[in-house]
Amino acid sequence: MKIIIGTKNSAKFNRYKTILSQMPNLEVLSLKDIHITLPIIPEDGMTAEENASKKARAYAKYTGLSTLSVDEALYIGGLSPEQQPGTNVRRYKGKELTDDEMLNLYLGIIKDIPPEKRTATWIFAICLVLPNGQEFSEKVELYEKLSEHPSLPIIPGYPLSSLIYSPVIGKIYRDFTPEEESKRLRPIYKKVSKIIQAAKCL
C-alpha cells in the first residue's frame, strides 16, 4: 500500500514517517516524491479535524494515492477562548511565523501566566483518505505544560518542542531521547495504526 504524508513540513513528515515505518507493507511517500505541481491547500478550517480532512482529501484527489494528514491545535491554560492559538499554532494575525518568531511569540504569551496554570492541551486530528474518497479519522489529545525557560537550539520545524514540558517524562520535549519521544507519540501511533488497518480491510 502506497501512502503519502500530506505535509510540506519536513519535521512533521519525519515524525509520521517514523510512525508509519513501524507498520508492515507500507511504502511511505512525501509530497516531494510526487512529480506534479500541487496546489497550496488553505488551512482555514475552524478545527484541526476540518484541516486534516481538507488536506488529505485534496492531496488524495490530485495524486491518486492514499493520503494521511495530521493537523494540530493548541489550547493554553490561563488564556481566554479569544486568545487561544487553536488551529493557528504557527499563524499569528494572518502571518506565517518563522521558527524564531514562533518561539518568541509563545514566550511572550506565557510569561504572565502563573506556572501552575500554564498547561498545554494538544489536539492531533488524524485523517486518511483513499483514492476512492473513503475517509478514516481519529483524534488524540495530549496534556502537557509550557516552560518559560526554553531548551535550545530549536528543532527546525518544531520550535515549540523547546517549550513543551512533559510531567510524565519530566523533561522538555526538545531533550527527549528517541525512546522518550516514542513513548510520547505512542497514543498517536495507536490511532494511526487503527485507521491504516481499517483501510486495509476494505
Side-chain angles (χ1 to χ4, degrees), residues 103 147 149-155 159 161-163 172-175:
L103 181 65
S147 171
H149 304 292
S151 178
L152 300 174
I154 291 171
I155 296 175
S161 67
S162 290
L163 300 181
I172 288 180
Y173 180 37
R174 165 69 180 78
D175 301 323

Side-chain angles (χ1 to χ4, degrees), residues 53-112:
S53 175
K54 186 175 184 180
K55 287 186 291 185
R57 284 189 170 277
Y59 289 133
K61 174 184 175 182
Y62 283 102
T63 66
L65 295 171
S66 299
T67 302
L68 180 79
S69 181
V70 183
D71 204 73
E72 301 164 14
L74 172 63
Y75 298 91
I76 298 173
L79 296 183
S80 68
E82 295 76 20
Q83 295 173 308
Q84 293 294 346
T87 58
N88 296 311
V89 179
R90 186 175 278 273
R91 292 181 298 278
Y92 182 68
K93 295 184 177 180
K95 179 187 176 183
E96 190 84 4
L97 301 175
T98 66
D99 284 353
D100 286 331
E101 289 172 337
M102 191 172 170
L103 181 65
N104 290 328
L105 172 68
Y106 282 90
L107 282 171
I109 287 173
I110 68 174
K111 68 181 177 65
D112 295 325

Side-chain angles (χ1 to χ4, degrees), residues 3 8-9 50 64 86 102 120 125 131 135 143 155 171 185 195:
I3 187 166
K8 295 181 179 179
N9 181 320
E50 288 180 19
M102 191 172 170
E135 184 170 334
Y143 305 98
I155 296 175
K171 281 185 181 180
L185 297 178
I195 62 176

